[in-house]
Amino acid sequence: MVDPSTLFLALGAGILGGMMNALAGGGTFATMPALLAIGTPANIANATSNLALMPGAWASAWSFRGELQPVGGVSVRVLAAITFIGGLAGSVLLVATPGRAFDMIVPWLLLVAFLAIAFGPRLAAWLRARVTIGLATLMIAQGVLGTYGGYFGGGVGIMTTATYGLLAGETPRTMFAPRTLMLAVANLAAAIVFVALGMVRWDACLPMLAGGLLGGWLGAVVGKRLPGVAVRWWTLGVTAATTAVFFVRAYG
C-alpha cells in the first residue's frame, strides 16, 4: 500500500516540476528534493525524477514538432542520435556511481546549473561576438549535453540554450523546438537504462508522473499571464535555494 504522504508529496512535486519545465526549465529542482525528503537515495531519486518528468518533455517536443529545423547546419536527426548515445552513456555512469559519491557530486552539478541559468545567455552572447566555432565543436558539445542530461540533467535546458546561442548563433525562439526535442531524447535514453536496471522508485514515480503532466498544462496557462522577468527570477530563486540545501546536506 502506498503511503499517503509519499503519494501527495510526489504528486505535488510533480505538478510544481511540470510547471517549472513549462515556464523556464528546472523541474528537477522541485522533484529531487521531494524524493530525498521521503528517504530516497540521491541516485535513485535522480533516476525516478528523470522518468517522472519524461512524458511532459515529450509532450512539449511533440507540440513544437512543426518548428524543428537544423541547428547551425547540423540536422536534427544527427543531433538527436548524438544526444541519445550521450544520454545512454550518462545514465550508465550514474548507475556506476556509488550513492554516497553521488550525494557529494550533486551540489556541484546544481551549482553549475544555477550559474548556467544566471549567466549562460549573457556569456554566450559575449563569446559569440568574439569567436566562431565549427560544426564539429557543436556536435561534440551536443554529446556532452546528452551525457550530462542522462547523468543528472538539472539545468540542461538552459545549458543547451546557451550552447546553441554560442556555437550556432541561434535565437532563443528558433532553438526552442530542437532544444526541447534534445531534452526529451536524453530523458528517454536514460529512462531505458534506469528502468532496465531497477533504478526507479515506482510508488513515488507514478504520482509524480501524473503531477508532471498536470503541471505542464498549468505552466502553459500561467506562462501566458506572467512576464518573462518574473519567470526568470522565480527559476533563479528556486535553483539557488535547492543548491544551498544540497550543499548543507552533503557537507554540513
Side-chain angles (χ1 to χ4, degrees), residues 24-197:
T28 301
F29 299 112
T31 53
M32 276 283 287
L35 288 164
L36 293 173
I38 57 178
T40 310
N43 53 351
I44 302 298
N46 185 55
T48 301
S49 171
N50 175 284
L51 181 58
L53 294 175
M54 185 183 67
W58 274 102
S60 296
W62 178 257
S63 68
F64 284 96
R65 66 191 183 281
E67 299 182 18
L68 287 172
Q69 60 184 3
V71 177
V74 182
S75 75
V76 170
R77 289 184 179 182
V78 171
L79 291 175
I82 294 171
T83 302
F84 188 82
I85 295 171
L88 289 176
S91 58
V92 170
L93 182 61
L94 174 67
V95 173
T97 303
R100 180 54 187 163
F102 189 73
D103 284 342
M104 305 298 286
I105 293 170
V106 164
W108 298 100
L109 297 177
L110 290 171
L111 180 60
V112 169
F114 171 76
L115 293 175
I117 294 171
F119 303 110
R122 186 181 306 171
L123 178 61
W126 184 87
L127 288 173
R128 188 171 64 248
R130 290 162 175 80
V131 297
T132 300
I133 302 176
L135 300 183
T137 304
L138 174 60
M139 290 188 281
I140 292 171
Q142 188 65 56
V144 173
L145 290 168
T147 302
Y148 177 79
Y151 185 78
F152 180 62
V156 69
I158 306 298
M159 294 176 186
T160 302
T161 296
T163 299
Y164 286 179
L166 169 62
L167 302 185
E170 299 286 348
T171 65
R173 186 64 188 88
T174 60
M175 75 178 71
F176 194 87
R179 182 199 68 185
T180 303
L181 177 61
M182 296 311 128
L183 302 186
V185 169
N187 276 5
L188 174 62
I192 292 172
V193 174
F194 295 152
V195 171
L197 298 181

